Structure formats: C-alpha cells, structure tokens
Amino acid sequence: MITAIVLVQTEVDRIPEVAARIADLDGVSEVYSVTGDVDLIALVRVRQHDELAEVIADRLNKVEGVVHTETHIAFRAYSRHDLEAAFALGVEDPD
C-alpha cells in the first residue's frame, strides 16, 4: 500500500465543502481540517504509484475550491502499535 499525505490550501469560505468532496474521492482514506499554513490534510492510499496521479492530479486537484496542494509520499509507517510490536520481539511476558 502506498500512502501519500496531501497538504491542501482551499478558498477559505469553502473548507467544509472542499473537505467533504475530497473525502468522497476513491483512494482518499481520511481528510483533516487543520491549523497552520494549510487548510486540509488528505491521506491517499493506493496500491500502485500510477494511481497517485489519478487520485491527486486528476481528481483531488480539480475539486472546485482547491487552490494549491503539496504531496508527500510516505516511505514507512510508524505507529505506536507497530513500535510496541517491534520492541516486544523476543521478549516474553513474565506472567
């Protein structure tokens, strides 16, 4: 699974509408309204690199109200669950 984090700037008065439309796109798993330099962060999850262009360039960027995007492709995913499992390898529970 390939994950891309897309930072999205929108027309300010259209943030909720743009977020809802982006969230409805195939390949978009989550959309967050955030503080900071961007208005939304969208998580795109696809199986092949070619699909990133379809989701981001062909659909997400064309949502009315999107002003600018910046895409970051994830190399690895680290979560509390993954880290706990990795550190627990070979360690037996004393109970």
Side-chain angles (χ1 to χ4, degrees):
M1 185 66 62
I2 300 163
T3 301
I5 298 94
V6 184
L7 310 179
V8 183
Q9 290 179 334
T10 70
E11 295 173 6
V12 177
D13 59 339
R14 300 182 76 179
I15 294 171
E17 171 189 342
V18 172
R21 288 192 177 160
I22 291 172
D24 286 340
L25 296 174
D26 287 338
V28 175
S29 63
E30 300 160 69
V31 178
Y32 297 95
S33 176
V34 297
T35 62
D37 295 333
V38 297
D39 302 304
L40 303 170
I41 296 177
L43 297 182
V44 175
R45 292 191 169 96
V46 294
R47 295 196 184 279
Q48 299 178 354
H49 278 87
D50 292 347
E51 294 175 81
L52 289 174
E54 294 171 16
V55 176
I56 299 167
D58 296 344
R59 294 194 298 252
L60 191 151
N61 281 339
K62 294 179 181 174
V63 169
E64 193 171 329
V66 170
V67 175
H68 176 76
T69 63
E70 182 177 321
T71 301
H72 299 264
I73 298 174
F75 292 127
R76 288 191 181 123
Y78 298 95
S79 70
R80 179 176 293 252
H81 179 265
D82 293 338
L83 292 174
E84 287 174 357
F87 286 116
L89 290 177
V91 177
E92 293 185 26
D93 191 0
D95 293 333

